[in-house]
């Protein structure tokens, strides 16, 4: 039996962008055991992925001791993997995998290349899911990158249906806002967007997602927007199911944006200036629209009128 290990640093969004690679691996090698090593903050992402056997925890960004690396090395050696895929080049991780004796070690060009067996050159302008999928060329898989897909447990779908009923929106449909805790897009701008949409679509309720650390933003927003509804999903499955139920999802750049991509909901994303939009989103899809901050300018300087123009364009 083939055993494959993927080491995927980053948050939930980074995992979602790797799902197409995992799905292709599982399709190509249906009997393979596929394990992933992810940071603690990202483990919940695998609640909505069926292509993985085991999720192992390792905090790539922490100041890991030799003992931490030794523990991970021991776990990897015990499993006797045939191949390892590393999604972000890392000298320390490359050393770890070289010491593990895994015969095939695949990553992008970067630090510690000489410790790898296969090096793929990444194009920073290319959609990140496609970039990661290109790593499979090292094991002779030439298939096109499929879209991000998630699998939702029935209890999460049931929760989304009951939540719509609780909010009184199960028949009307709704617009969903993910204002984000760290995006620095201000409550005043969100309020302008919401009020304009309420005026133009008075029968379509607007729901905002209550997430970690955005209590102050939501408090300011609810004071400015009458009849704004709030939903508080308690895990990634419920959040994903609720995004899937929305007519339109307007979100600041972040993990939830990738969930919107995965479930197929019409999406308008508000992006920072640091990363090309085509790397973050499959911008060729007509259902996906975005506005992006000007280079060197913060996200908060995107005017709500710019966002609204994108929402209302044909």
């Amino acid at each position: 039996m083939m055993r494959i290990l993927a080491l995927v640093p980053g948050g939930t969004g980074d995992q979602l962008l790797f799902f197409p690679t995992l799905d292709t691996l599982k399709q190509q090698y249906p009997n393979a055991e596929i394990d992933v090593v992810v940071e603690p903050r990202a483990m919940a992402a695998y609640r909505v992925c069926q292509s993985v056997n085991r999720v192992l925890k390792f905090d790539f960004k922490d100041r890991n001791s030799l003992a931490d690396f030794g523990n991970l090395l021991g776990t990897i050696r015990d499993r006797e993997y045939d191949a390892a895929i590393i999604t972000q080049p890392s000298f320390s991780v490359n050393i770890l995998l070289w010491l593990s004796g895994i015969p095939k070690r695949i990553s992008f060009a970067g630090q510690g290349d000489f410790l790898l067996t296969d090096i793929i050159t990444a194009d920073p302008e290319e959609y990140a899911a496609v970039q990661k999928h290109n790593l499979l060329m090292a094991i002779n898989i030439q298939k096109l990158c499929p879209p991000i897909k998630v699998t939702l447990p029935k209890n999460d779908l049931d929760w989304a249906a009951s939540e719509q009923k609780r909010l009184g929106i199960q028949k009307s449909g709704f617009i969903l806002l993910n204002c984000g805790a760290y995006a620095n897009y201000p409550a005043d701008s969100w309020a302008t967007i919401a009020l304009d949409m309420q005026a133009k679509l008075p029968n379509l309720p607007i729901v905002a997602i209550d997430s970690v650390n955005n209590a102050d933003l939501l408090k300011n927003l609810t004071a400015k927007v009458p009849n704004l509804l709030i939903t508080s999903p308690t895990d990634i499955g419920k959040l994903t199911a609720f995004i899937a139920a929305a007519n339109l999802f307007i979100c600041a750049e972040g993990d939830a944006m990738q969930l919107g991509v995965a479930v197929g909901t019409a999406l308008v994303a508000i992006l920072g200036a640091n990363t090309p939009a085509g790397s973050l989103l499959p911008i060729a899809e007509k259902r996906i629209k975005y506005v992006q901050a000007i280079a060197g300018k913060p996200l908060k300087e995107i005017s709500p009128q710019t966002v609204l123009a994108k929402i209302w364009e044909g």
Side-chain angles (χ1 to χ4, degrees):
M1 180 189 296
M2 190 175 188
R3 289 194 173 102
I4 302 167
L5 179 68
L7 298 97
V8 193
T12 299
D14 296 290
Q15 310 308 313
L16 289 160
L17 287 162
F18 193 60
F19 280 12
T21 304
L22 293 168
D23 291 343
T24 296
L25 273 172
K26 197 65 177 176
Q27 184 182 40
Q28 196 76 6
Y29 301 107
N31 297 318
E33 286 192 4
I34 303 170
D35 297 344
V36 292
V37 181
V38 304
E39 295 172 31
R41 63 190 171 118
M43 291 185 76
Y46 290 88
R47 178 185 174 95
V48 293
C49 177
Q50 287 194 321
S51 294
V52 165
N53 295 84
R54 291 202 313 168
V55 182
L56 306 172
K57 180 170 64 175
F58 185 75
D59 198 342
F60 293 96
K61 289 190 165 45
D62 197 10
R63 292 184 176 181
N64 293 294
S65 67
L66 285 174
D68 295 324
F69 279 107
N71 289 337
L72 181 58
L73 178 59
T75 301
I76 292 172
R77 276 183 168 163
D78 286 346
R79 297 287 292 167
E80 297 183 349
Y81 293 103
D82 300 290
I85 297 171
I86 313 106
T87 62
Q88 291 181 18
S90 162
F91 189 76
S92 57
V93 172
N94 288 355
I95 288 176
L96 180 83
L97 294 175
W98 176 71
L99 290 170
S100 74
I102 296 174
K104 203 160 187 67
R105 303 179 299 279
I106 306 158
S107 190
F108 297 113
Q111 293 183 325
D113 283 356
F114 65 95
L115 297 162
L116 301 169
T117 59
D118 298 86
I119 301 162
I120 302 297
T121 302
D123 175 1
E125 300 284 330
E126 192 169 37
Y127 180 37
V130 175
Q131 284 182 42
K132 296 175 196 297
H133 198 266
N134 288 342
L135 291 165
L136 297 182
M137 291 190 293
I139 49 177
N140 299 317
I141 296 177
Q142 304 288 341
K143 292 179 179 292
L144 291 174
C145 178
I148 300 174
K149 289 183 180 176
V150 292
T151 303
L152 289 171
K154 182 178 182 300
N155 61 338
D156 292 334
L157 294 168
D158 290 344
W159 179 88
S162 65
E163 180 71 350
Q164 289 174 78
K165 188 174 182 180
R166 180 186 75 82
L167 294 168
I169 57 175
Q170 68 268 37
K171 292 181 180 176
S172 61
F174 63 99
I175 296 164
L176 185 62
L177 309 181
N178 188 59
C179 306
Y182 309 106
N184 296 320
Y185 198 61
D188 285 351
S189 296
W190 281 113
T192 300
I193 293 166
L195 290 169
D196 185 86
M197 299 196 79
Q198 280 186 340
K200 290 185 171 67
L201 300 168
N203 297 319
L204 204 57
I206 299 177
V207 184
I209 297 167
D210 178 16
S211 60
V212 178
N213 296 333
N214 74 345
D216 289 343
L217 188 150
L218 284 185
K219 184 179 178 182
N220 292 333
L221 189 56
T222 51
K224 298 172 188 295
V225 182
N227 304 320
L228 181 73
L229 302 171
I230 304 293
T231 185
S232 303
T234 54
D235 58 58
I236 189 173
K238 294 178 178 61
L239 172 60
T240 307
F242 204 73
I243 294 170
N247 297 48
L248 172 66
F249 184 37
I250 307 168
C251 60
E253 180 180 331
D255 293 340
M257 178 178 79
Q258 300 300 344
L259 295 174
V261 173
V263 297
T265 299
L267 175 72
V268 176
I270 305 169
L271 306 177
N274 292 338
T275 308
S279 173
L280 291 168
L281 294 166
I283 55 177
E285 291 190 32
K286 290 184 179 179
R287 69 181 174 90
I288 291 175
K289 302 178 182 179
Y290 68 93
V291 296
Q292 187 161 29
I294 296 168
K297 298 287 186 180
L299 196 74
K300 64 184 179 182
E301 291 197 19
I302 298 175
S303 77
Q305 286 73 26
T306 301
V307 179
L308 286 164
K310 185 60 65 173
I311 291 168
W312 297 122
E313 74 179 15

mmCIF file of all heavy atoms in Angstrom, residues 9 16 43 100 125 131 139 142 159 164 172 178 180 202 204 206 208 228 245 279 295 297 299 306 313:
data_model
loop_
_atom_site.group_PDB
_atom_site.id
_atom_site.type_symbol
_atom_site.label_atom_id
_atom_site.label_comp_id
_atom_site.label_asym_id
_atom_site.label_seq_id
_atom_site.Cartn_x
_atom_site.Cartn_y
_atom_site.Cartn_z
ATOM 1 N N PRO A 9 1.946 23.847 5.988
ATOM 2 C CA PRO A 9 1.892 24.969 6.935
ATOM 3 C C PRO A 9 0.800 25.962 6.550
ATOM 4 O O PRO A 9 0.343 25.997 5.399
ATOM 5 C CB PRO A 9 3.284 25.614 6.785
ATOM 6 C CG PRO A 9 4.137 24.579 6.134
ATOM 7 C CD PRO A 9 3.215 23.783 5.263
ATOM 8 N N LEU A 16 -7.477 24.571 2.450
ATOM 9 C CA LEU A 16 -8.503 24.489 1.418
ATOM 10 C C LEU A 16 -7.885 24.570 0.022
ATOM 11 O O LEU A 16 -8.317 23.861 -0.905
ATOM 12 C CB LEU A 16 -9.531 25.606 1.611
ATOM 13 C CG LEU A 16 -10.448 25.422 2.824
ATOM 14 C CD1 LEU A 16 -11.070 26.736 3.234
ATOM 15 C CD2 LEU A 16 -11.540 24.405 2.510
ATOM 16 N N MET A 43 -6.339 22.394 11.918
ATOM 17 C CA MET A 43 -6.792 20.997 11.937
ATOM 18 C C MET A 43 -8.275 20.861 11.635
ATOM 19 O O MET A 43 -8.708 19.895 11.008
ATOM 20 C CB MET A 43 -6.466 20.365 13.288
ATOM 21 C CG MET A 43 -4.970 20.163 13.511
ATOM 22 S SD MET A 43 -4.593 19.291 15.032
ATOM 23 C CE MET A 43 -5.023 17.603 14.588
ATOM 24 N N SER A 100 14.303 11.342 7.718
ATOM 25 C CA SER A 100 13.260 10.319 7.841
ATOM 26 C C SER A 100 13.482 9.153 6.881
ATOM 27 O O SER A 100 12.926 8.067 7.072
ATOM 28 C CB SER A 100 11.883 10.928 7.574
ATOM 29 O OG SER A 100 11.716 11.189 6.190
ATOM 30 N N GLU A 125 2.208 34.306 -9.697
ATOM 31 C CA GLU A 125 0.987 34.890 -10.266
ATOM 32 C C GLU A 125 -0.105 33.837 -10.465
ATOM 33 O O GLU A 125 -1.270 34.175 -10.667
ATOM 34 C CB GLU A 125 1.309 35.541 -11.621
ATOM 35 C CG GLU A 125 2.331 36.664 -11.559
ATOM 36 C CD GLU A 125 1.745 37.956 -10.999
ATOM 37 O OE1 GLU A 125 0.544 38.180 -11.181
ATOM 38 O OE2 GLU A 125 2.509 38.726 -10.384
ATOM 39 N N GLN A 131 -0.879 26.077 -8.272
ATOM 40 C CA GLN A 131 0.537 25.986 -7.881
ATOM 41 C C GLN A 131 0.797 24.711 -7.084
ATOM 42 O O GLN A 131 1.721 23.948 -7.383
ATOM 43 C CB GLN A 131 0.923 27.169 -6.994
ATOM 44 C CG GLN A 131 1.130 28.495 -7.676
ATOM 45 C CD GLN A 131 1.562 29.543 -6.656
ATOM 46 O OE1 GLN A 131 2.382 29.273 -5.792
ATOM 47 N NE2 GLN A 131 1.003 30.728 -6.753
ATOM 48 N N ILE A 139 5.275 13.107 -9.302
ATOM 49 C CA ILE A 139 4.914 11.686 -9.242
ATOM 50 C C ILE A 139 4.086 11.294 -10.479
ATOM 51 O O ILE A 139 3.215 10.442 -10.426
ATOM 52 C CB ILE A 139 4.200 11.302 -7.928
ATOM 53 C CG1 ILE A 139 3.046 12.262 -7.598
ATOM 54 C CG2 ILE A 139 5.171 11.264 -6.783
ATOM 55 C CD1 ILE A 139 2.273 11.858 -6.354
ATOM 56 N N GLN A 142 -0.385 14.260 -14.297
ATOM 57 C CA GLN A 142 -0.437 15.432 -15.183
ATOM 58 C C GLN A 142 -1.854 16.002 -15.301
ATOM 59 O O GLN A 142 -2.128 16.787 -16.194
ATOM 60 C CB GLN A 142 0.068 15.039 -16.577
ATOM 61 C CG GLN A 142 1.466 14.442 -16.597
ATOM 62 C CD GLN A 142 2.560 15.454 -16.323
ATOM 63 O OE1 GLN A 142 2.350 16.643 -16.453
ATOM 64 N NE2 GLN A 142 3.733 14.972 -15.909
ATOM 65 N N TRP A 159 -28.028 21.990 10.627
ATOM 66 C CA TRP A 159 -27.858 23.189 11.449
ATOM 67 C C TRP A 159 -28.110 24.447 10.619
ATOM 68 O O TRP A 159 -28.782 25.386 11.071
ATOM 69 C CB TRP A 159 -26.445 23.247 12.047
ATOM 70 C CG TRP A 159 -26.242 24.491 12.867
ATOM 71 C CD1 TRP A 159 -26.516 24.658 14.182
ATOM 72 C CD2 TRP A 159 -25.748 25.762 12.390
ATOM 73 N NE1 TRP A 159 -26.228 25.951 14.574
ATOM 74 C CE2 TRP A 159 -25.755 26.645 13.496
ATOM 75 C CE3 TRP A 159 -25.307 26.226 11.152
ATOM 76 C CZ2 TRP A 159 -25.338 27.974 13.392
ATOM 77 C CZ3 TRP A 159 -24.894 27.550 11.043
ATOM 78 C CH2 TRP A 159 -24.915 28.404 12.147
ATOM 79 N N GLN A 164 -31.392 29.170 9.509
ATOM 80 C CA GLN A 164 -32.197 30.025 8.624
ATOM 81 C C GLN A 164 -33.616 30.161 9.164
ATOM 82 O O GLN A 164 -34.206 31.251 9.120
ATOM 83 C CB GLN A 164 -32.228 29.440 7.216
ATOM 84 C CG GLN A 164 -30.898 29.545 6.487
ATOM 85 C CD GLN A 164 -30.940 28.831 5.155
ATOM 86 O OE1 GLN A 164 -31.494 29.350 4.180
ATOM 87 N NE2 GLN A 164 -30.379 27.638 5.103
ATOM 88 N N SER A 172 -36.865 33.417 1.898
ATOM 89 C CA SER A 172 -36.495 34.636 1.169
ATOM 90 C C SER A 172 -35.109 34.571 0.554
ATOM 91 O O SER A 172 -34.807 35.276 -0.397
ATOM 92 C CB SER A 172 -36.558 35.840 2.102
ATOM 93 O OG SER A 172 -35.641 35.681 3.167
ATOM 94 N N ASN A 178 -19.068 38.485 5.724
ATOM 95 C CA ASN A 178 -18.014 38.078 6.661
ATOM 96 C C ASN A 178 -17.049 39.249 6.773
ATOM 97 O O ASN A 178 -16.180 39.440 5.941
ATOM 98 C CB ASN A 178 -17.284 36.827 6.192
ATOM 99 C CG ASN A 178 -16.333 36.315 7.259
ATOM 100 O OD1 ASN A 178 -16.742 36.002 8.367
ATOM 101 N ND2 ASN A 178 -15.063 36.254 6.926
ATOM 102 N N GLY A 180 -14.778 39.902 8.985
ATOM 103 C CA GLY A 180 -13.411 39.561 9.345
ATOM 104 C C GLY A 180 -12.941 40.286 10.589
ATOM 105 O O GLY A 180 -13.300 41.430 10.853
ATOM 106 N N PRO A 202 -34.918 45.281 -0.569
ATOM 107 C CA PRO A 202 -35.514 45.331 0.774
ATOM 108 C C PRO A 202 -36.061 43.989 1.268
ATOM 109 O O PRO A 202 -36.221 43.801 2.477
ATOM 110 C CB PRO A 202 -36.634 46.363 0.623
ATOM 111 C CG PRO A 202 -36.930 46.410 -0.851
ATOM 112 C CD PRO A 202 -35.636 46.136 -1.530
ATOM 113 N N LEU A 204 -34.545 41.053 0.820
ATOM 114 C CA LEU A 204 -33.467 40.073 0.970
ATOM 115 C C LEU A 204 -32.686 40.394 2.249
ATOM 116 O O LEU A 204 -31.925 41.358 2.293
ATOM 117 C CB LEU A 204 -32.536 40.126 -0.247
ATOM 118 C CG LEU A 204 -31.717 38.880 -0.570
ATOM 119 C CD1 LEU A 204 -32.617 37.664 -0.783
ATOM 120 C CD2 LEU A 204 -30.841 39.114 -1.796
ATOM 121 N N ILE A 206 -30.034 40.598 5.342
ATOM 122 C CA ILE A 206 -28.571 40.602 5.395
ATOM 123 C C ILE A 206 -28.139 40.011 6.725
ATOM 124 O O ILE A 206 -28.606 40.413 7.794
ATOM 125 C CB ILE A 206 -28.006 42.025 5.224
ATOM 126 C CG1 ILE A 206 -28.423 42.592 3.863
ATOM 127 C CG2 ILE A 206 -26.479 42.014 5.350
ATOM 128 C CD1 ILE A 206 -27.976 44.017 3.627
ATOM 129 N N ALA A 208 -24.762 38.850 9.127
ATOM 130 C CA ALA A 208 -23.312 38.968 9.362
ATOM 131 C C ALA A 208 -22.845 37.797 10.222
ATOM 132 O O ALA A 208 -23.563 37.343 11.123
ATOM 133 C CB ALA A 208 -22.989 40.293 10.040
ATOM 134 N N LEU A 228 -30.184 44.122 10.779
ATOM 135 C CA LEU A 228 -29.071 43.233 10.479
ATOM 136 C C LEU A 228 -29.174 41.993 11.365
ATOM 137 O O LEU A 228 -29.370 42.091 12.573
ATOM 138 C CB LEU A 228 -27.732 43.937 10.730
ATOM 139 C CG LEU A 228 -26.479 43.108 10.424
ATOM 140 C CD1 LEU A 228 -26.287 42.950 8.913
ATOM 141 C CD2 LEU A 228 -25.231 43.738 11.050
ATOM 142 N N ALA A 245 -25.603 28.174 1.754
ATOM 143 C CA ALA A 245 -27.028 28.497 1.661
ATOM 144 C C ALA A 245 -27.294 29.929 1.196
ATOM 145 O O ALA A 245 -28.406 30.260 0.795
ATOM 146 C CB ALA A 245 -27.692 28.282 3.026
ATOM 147 N N SER A 279 -3.808 34.781 -7.713
ATOM 148 C CA SER A 279 -3.204 33.740 -6.887
ATOM 149 C C SER A 279 -4.165 33.285 -5.792
ATOM 150 O O SER A 279 -4.160 32.121 -5.398
ATOM 151 C CB SER A 279 -1.906 34.264 -6.260
ATOM 152 O OG SER A 279 -1.385 33.352 -5.333
ATOM 153 N N ALA A 295 -1.552 49.022 -4.371
ATOM 154 C CA ALA A 295 -0.251 48.666 -3.794
ATOM 155 C C ALA A 295 0.220 49.750 -2.823
ATOM 156 O O ALA A 295 0.197 50.940 -3.147
ATOM 157 C CB ALA A 295 0.776 48.464 -4.904
ATOM 158 N N LYS A 297 -1.232 50.611 -0.102
ATOM 159 C CA LYS A 297 -2.352 51.191 0.648
ATOM 160 C C LYS A 297 -3.044 50.105 1.465
ATOM 161 O O LYS A 297 -3.151 48.963 1.033
ATOM 162 C CB LYS A 297 -3.376 51.816 -0.307
ATOM 163 C CG LYS A 297 -2.825 52.972 -1.140
ATOM 164 C CD LYS A 297 -2.619 54.218 -0.306
ATOM 165 C CE LYS A 297 -2.207 55.398 -1.180
ATOM 166 N NZ LYS A 297 -1.997 56.614 -0.379
ATOM 167 N N LEU A 299 -6.145 47.998 3.360
ATOM 168 C CA LEU A 299 -7.471 47.533 2.917
ATOM 169 C C LEU A 299 -8.555 48.566 3.203
ATOM 170 O O LEU A 299 -9.475 48.757 2.408
ATOM 171 C CB LEU A 299 -7.795 46.217 3.638
ATOM 172 C CG LEU A 299 -8.919 45.359 3.076
ATOM 173 C CD1 LEU A 299 -8.468 44.679 1.801
ATOM 174 C CD2 LEU A 299 -9.348 44.312 4.095
ATOM 175 N N THR A 306 -16.711 51.544 -4.160
ATOM 176 C CA THR A 306 -16.002 50.655 -5.085
ATOM 177 C C THR A 306 -16.522 49.226 -4.952
ATOM 178 O O THR A 306 -16.717 48.517 -5.951
ATOM 179 C CB THR A 306 -14.486 50.688 -4.792
ATOM 180 O OG1 THR A 306 -14.013 52.026 -4.939
ATOM 181 C CG2 THR A 306 -13.721 49.769 -5.723
ATOM 182 N N GLU A 313 -22.446 45.393 -10.658
ATOM 183 C CA GLU A 313 -22.135 45.269 -12.083
ATOM 184 C C GLU A 313 -22.755 43.989 -12.650
ATOM 185 O O GLU A 313 -22.985 43.038 -11.932
ATOM 186 C CB GLU A 313 -20.611 45.300 -12.314
ATOM 187 C CG GLU A 313 -19.872 44.047 -11.928
ATOM 188 C CD GLU A 313 -18.379 44.130 -12.190
ATOM 189 O OE1 GLU A 313 -17.860 45.256 -12.399
ATOM 190 O OE2 GLU A 313 -17.731 43.074 -12.200
#
